[in-house]
C-alpha cells in the first residue's frame, strides 16, 4: 500500500508543475521564450508521469483479480481449443505478440497494454484538463489507474475514451467516433459512449427539458425486463452468471455522484451554465446517478457508469476554478483533497480482497 501511495504522491507532485511555471508574463527573454520553456517542462514532466505509471503496471505479476485468468485465455487464443469471449482486436494483439515473443509470453502482453493504457490516460487527461494537477490528483485518488491492473481491456478502452473527449468538445465528431469504434475492437461496451456523450453534449436543462429526469428514472426502474434483454443480446454470457449477473445497489457510488451533483448545482450559474464542456460533464454525472440508483439490475453497472463518472476528474476542477469567494474556494478545495485522499486509502485497504487483489504488490523484475 505504501508503494501505491508513494507513486500517487510522486506523480501528483510532478503534475503540480505542468502548465504552472509559465505565468504568461514577459521576462528578459520575452513571452515566447518563457512559453517554450514551459512547454518543454510539460513534455518532460508528462513523460516522467507516464514512465512511472507504465513501469508499475508493466512490471507487476499476479496483480489484479483476473491476471491469471487473462494468462489462461491468452493460451486459449493461441491454441484455439476453447472459445474466448474477448473482442477481435485484443485477440489479434495477443496472437501477434505471442508470435513475435514466444508462446505463453504473457508478460509482454500485459506490458504492451500497460504502455498503451498509461499513454492514452496521460494524454487524454492533459488534453482536456483545465487544471491539470487537480484533474490528475482526482484520477489517481479515484483509483482508476490502480483498477486498470484488473479488467485490462476495459480500462484500456476507458483510456481511449478519455482521449476522445477532446474531439467531442471540439465538435470533431469524425475523430471522436473513430477512436470509440477503434476501442470497441478491444471492449465493445465502449460503443455506449457515442450516443451517451453526444446526448450529454447537446442536452440543455430548462423548464421544457427537466421532466426528462423523472421520466428516465421511471423508465429505467420499470423497464428491467426490456433493458436486460437488450443487454444480453450483446453480452449473452452475462445472463445467469453467478458473479456478473448480480443485482447490487452501490450506495457509495450513488453518494459520490450525488455529492458532485450538489456541489455543481451550488455553482451552476457561475461555473457550468453556458460552458458546453462543463454542461456535458454535469450531464454525464447526472446520467451515472440515475443508472446507479434505478439500473441496479444491470450486470456490471459500474462498467457502464465509469464511462460517465470519469468526467468527475474534469468537472470538479472546473467548478473549483469558478468559485470567486476565496474562503469558499479554499474550503471546497481542502474538502475535495481530503475526501479523495480518504477514498484512495480506503480503496487500497480493501484491495487485498479477492475481488480486487492489488496487494501485496509483486513484480517479475527480480525473479
Amino acid at each position: 500500500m505504501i508503494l501505491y501511495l508513494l507513486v500517487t504522491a510522486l506523480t501528483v507532485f510532478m503534475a503540480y508543475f505542468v502548465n504552472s511555471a509559465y505565468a504568461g508574463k514577459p521576462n528578459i527573454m520575452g513571452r515566447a521564450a518563457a512559453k517554450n520553456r514551459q512547454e518543454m517542462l510539460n513534455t518532460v514532466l508528462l513523460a516522467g508521469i507516464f514512465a512511472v505509471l507504465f513501469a508499475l503496471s508493466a512490471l507487476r505479476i499476479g496483480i489484479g483479480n483476473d491476471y491469471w485468468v487473462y494468462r489462461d485465455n491468452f493460451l486459449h487464443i493461441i491454441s484455439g481449443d476453447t472459445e474466448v469471449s474477448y473482442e477481435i482486436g485484443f485477440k489479434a494483439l495477443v496472437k501477434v505478440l505471442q508470435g513475435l515473443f514466444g508462446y505463453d509470453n504473457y508478460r509482454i502482453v500485459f506490458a504492451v497494454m500497460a504502455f498503451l493504457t498509461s499513454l492514452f490516460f496521460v494524454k487524454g487527461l492533459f488534453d482536456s484538463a483545465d487544471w491539470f494537477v487537480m484533474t490528475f490528483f482526482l484520477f489517481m485518488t479515484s483509483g482508476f489507474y490502480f483498477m486498470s491492473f484488473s479488467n485490462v481491456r476495459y480500462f484500456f478502452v476507458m483510456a481511449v475514451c478519455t482521449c476522445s473527449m477532446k474531439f467531442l468538445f471540439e465538435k470533431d465528431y469524425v475523430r471522436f467516433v473513430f477512436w470509440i469504434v477503434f476501442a470497441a475492437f478491444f471492449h465493445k461496451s465502449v460503443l455506449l459512449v457515442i450516443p451517451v456523450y453526444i446526448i450529454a453534449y447537446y442536452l440543455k436543462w430548462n423548464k421544457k427539458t427537466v421532466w426528462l429526469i423523472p421520466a428516465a428514472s421511471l423508465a429505467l426502474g420499470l423497464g428491467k425486463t426490456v433493458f436486460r434483454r437488450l443487454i444480453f443480446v450483446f453480452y449473452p454470457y452475462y445472463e445467469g452468471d453467478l458473479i456478473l449477473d448480480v443485482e447490487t445497489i452501490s450506495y457509495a457510488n450513488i453518494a459520490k455522484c450525488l455529492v458532485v451533483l450538489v456541489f455543481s448545482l451550488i455553482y451552476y450559474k457561475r461555473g457550468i451554465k453556458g460552458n458546453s464542456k462543463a454542461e456535458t460533464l454535469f450531464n454525464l454525472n447526472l446520467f451515472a446517478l440515475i443508472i446507479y440508483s434505478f439500473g441496479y439490475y444491470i450486470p456490471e453497472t459500474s462498467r457502464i457508469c465509469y464511462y460517465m463518472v470519469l468526467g468527475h476528474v474534469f468537472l470538479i476542477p472546473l467548478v473549483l476554478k469558478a468559485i470567486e469567494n476565496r474562503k469558499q474556494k479554499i474550503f471546497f478545495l481542502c474538502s475535495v483533497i481530503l475526501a479523495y485522499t480518504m477514498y484512495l486509502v480506503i480503496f487500497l485497504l480493501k484491495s487485498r480482497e479477492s475481488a480486487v487483489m492489488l496487494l501485496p504488490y509483486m513484480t517479475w523484475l527480480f525473479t
Side-chain angles (χ1 to χ4, degrees):
M1 182 170 130
I2 294 176
L3 174 62
Y4 293 154
L5 292 176
L6 286 175
V7 165
T8 300
L10 173 62
T11 51
V12 170
F13 175 76
M14 289 191 285
Y16 177 80
F17 297 98
V18 173
N19 256 356
S20 62
Y22 174 60
K25 297 178 181 179
N27 58 17
I28 263 181
M29 299 181 69
R31 184 187 301 263
K35 182 177 181 180
N36 289 337
R37 285 200 303 273
Q38 180 57 44
E39 288 175 346
M40 184 177 296
L41 180 61
N42 285 349
T43 301
V44 172
L45 290 169
L46 291 171
I49 292 170
F50 161 76
V52 172
L53 299 185
F54 163 60
L56 188 69
S57 181
L59 295 177
R60 77 190 193 280
I61 187 167
I63 303 300
N65 60 1
D66 53 2
Y67 187 96
W68 296 117
V69 174
Y70 265 105
R71 185 270 183 118
D72 290 342
N73 284 335
F74 295 162
L75 299 179
H76 293 318
I77 290 171
I78 298 301
S79 64
D81 59 349
T82 303
E83 179 62 27
V84 177
S85 61
Y86 297 159
E87 282 76 3
I88 187 173
F90 188 71
K91 288 182 179 178
L93 179 66
V94 171
K95 289 180 180 179
V96 169
L97 291 176
Q98 301 239 43
L100 289 173
F101 296 96
Y103 180 72
D104 198 22
N105 196 339
Y106 58 91
R107 290 181 295 187
I108 192 65
V109 180
F110 283 113
V112 169
M113 292 302 292
F115 178 91
L116 294 173
T117 302
S118 300
L119 180 66
F120 276 102
F121 265 135
V122 172
K123 177 169 174 50
L125 294 172
F126 179 73
D127 285 345
S128 294
D130 291 86
W131 187 0
F132 182 73
V133 63
M134 276 305 299
T135 288
F136 187 78
F137 168 79
L138 294 172
F139 168 74
M140 292 296 291
T141 53
S142 292
F144 289 127
Y145 166 69
F146 298 111
M147 285 188 286
S148 71
F149 293 179
S150 301
N151 302 312
V152 173
R153 294 178 302 121
Y154 175 77
F155 279 94
F156 165 65
V157 303
M158 264 195 69
V160 176
C161 183
T162 307
C163 276
S164 75
M165 285 185 174
K166 171 187 176 182
F167 303 118
L168 175 70
F169 299 142
E170 294 176 349
K171 295 186 179 181
D172 188 347
Y173 302 118
V174 173
R175 283 197 282 182
F176 168 67
V177 172
F178 169 81
W179 282 110
I180 297 302
V181 171
F182 164 76
F185 283 99
F186 292 81
H187 205 293
K188 59 188 175 185
S189 67
V190 76
L191 290 173
L192 176 73
V193 164
I194 296 176
V196 169
Y197 277 30
I198 291 177
I199 291 172
Y201 185 82
Y202 282 102
L203 181 59
K204 309 298 179 184
W205 295 113
N206 52 52
K207 293 180 180 179
K208 295 181 179 180
T209 58
V210 71
W211 66 271
L212 291 171
I213 297 174
S217 302
L218 187 62
L220 197 59
L222 298 178
K224 176 179 177 179
T225 303
V226 174
F227 285 114
R228 282 176 60 83
R229 283 179 181 174
L230 288 173
I231 291 168
F232 294 142
V233 168
F234 292 95
Y235 287 97
Y237 57 88
Y238 274 19
E239 188 171 11
D241 189 281
L242 296 177
I243 297 176
L244 300 176
D245 191 9
V246 179
E247 295 184 7
T248 56
I249 299 178
S250 178
Y251 294 105
N253 283 313
I254 290 173
K256 188 177 180 181
C257 291
L258 187 58
V259 169
V260 172
L261 176 65
V262 173
F263 176 51
S264 301
L265 286 173
I266 293 173
Y267 297 100
Y268 186 83
K269 289 185 178 180
R270 177 66 186 175
I272 296 177
K273 190 174 182 180
N275 182 332
S276 59
K277 177 179 178 180
E279 288 176 341
T280 301
L281 299 169
F282 175 87
N283 289 339
L284 290 176
N285 175 67
L286 180 60
F287 295 169
L289 177 60
I290 293 172
I291 295 173
Y292 274 131
S293 301
F294 300 97
Y296 57 89
Y297 52 81
I298 298 174
E300 293 289 286
T301 310
S302 290
R303 288 196 181 186
I304 294 175
C305 291
Y306 277 171
Y307 291 125
M308 306 166 210
V309 173
L310 179 63
H312 287 180
V313 304
F314 301 116
L315 175 61
I316 294 173
L318 271 172
V319 178
L320 285 171
K321 287 188 69 176
I323 302 175
E324 293 181 324
N325 184 288
R326 185 171 179 274
K327 290 183 179 179
Q328 291 180 13
K329 190 169 189 173
I330 293 174
F331 170 76
F332 281 112
L333 177 61
C334 292
S335 298
V336 169
I337 292 174
L338 178 61
Y340 274 84
T341 300
M342 290 177 60
Y343 181 89
L344 176 63
V345 171
I346 293 171
F347 169 77
L348 291 177
L349 287 173
K350 293 182 177 181
S351 64
R352 290 180 182 270
E353 299 174 0
S354 59
V356 186
M357 291 182 63
L358 295 181
L359 288 175
Y361 180 82
M362 294 181 289
T363 176
W364 50 262
L365 190 61
F366 305 110
T367 60

